[in-house]
Amino acid sequence: MTGRLNSAQPYALGLFRIVVGLLFACHGTASLFGYPESPMGGAAPAVGAWPGWYAGVIEIVCGALVLIGLGTRAAAFLASGAMAYAYFDVHQSMALWPIANGGDAAALFCWAMLLLVFTGSGALGLDRLFAARGARTSGEQSPEREKVTA
């Protein structure tokens, strides 16, 4: 059973990346454009307003990059940092625990994106496609096909 689960790991990671990226981008579009409509709602920040407008742009751009798996590690690193800032600057001043200060989404996105920094895009991402294409043109074996011997 462990072998079967291990063989599905890149696909599970790829699906995780797609869902997290989509939800993150949706947070950005909700804050900047009001769509999809959010129960937290509110007026869209003015262009260039700190930190709301920049957070929305980071959420849309990094969320889209993570969603398609292009530059996943760099986009996830920036997104993770933005959510850490959001949690500690905006939410934690209201209460210690995320459930009490409304920062549970920021905390979860921060840690989910940090996980993607270390794991990469998994399957179904453009990162892996470009890495395989680059390895073929240079004549090297792609990383997933290299044999490891002890």
Side-chain angles (χ1 to χ4, degrees), residues 76-117:
F77 182 76
L78 180 59
S80 179
M83 289 297 99
Y85 176 85
Y87 181 77
F88 288 112
D89 189 61
V90 177
H91 296 283
Q92 198 178 37
S93 62
M94 293 181 257
L96 176 64
W97 297 104
I99 195 73
N101 64 28
D104 45 353
L108 284 170
F109 276 127
C110 178
W111 286 103
M113 291 296 187
L114 190 63
L115 178 67
L116 289 172
V117 170

Side-chain angles (χ1 to χ4, degrees), residues 1-7:
M1 178 148 167
T2 300
R4 186 174 264 183
L5 289 173
N6 286 343
S7 67

Side-chain angles (χ1 to χ4, degrees), residues 36-149:
E37 202 169 311
S38 169
M40 300 298 207
V47 174
W50 178 261
W53 185 81
Y54 291 97
V57 170
I58 288 171
E59 289 169 352
I60 292 171
V61 172
C62 291
L65 289 172
V66 167
L67 171 67
I68 64 173
L70 182 63
T72 303
R73 291 176 191 260
F77 182 76
L78 180 59
S80 179
M83 289 297 99
Y85 176 85
Y87 181 77
F88 288 112
D89 189 61
V90 177
H91 296 283
Q92 198 178 37
S93 62
M94 293 181 257
L96 176 64
W97 297 104
I99 195 73
N101 64 28
D104 45 353
L108 284 170
F109 276 127
C110 178
W111 286 103
M113 291 296 187
L114 190 63
L115 178 67
L116 289 172
V117 170
F118 289 98
T119 61
S121 63
L124 313 170
L126 294 179
D127 285 342
R128 186 173 246 190
L129 176 71
F130 290 143
R133 180 177 287 166
R136 278 196 303 257
T137 58
S138 67
E140 300 172 7
Q141 283 187 335
S142 59
E144 61 271 359
R145 295 183 188 245
E146 290 180 11
K147 293 186 179 182
V148 178
T149 57

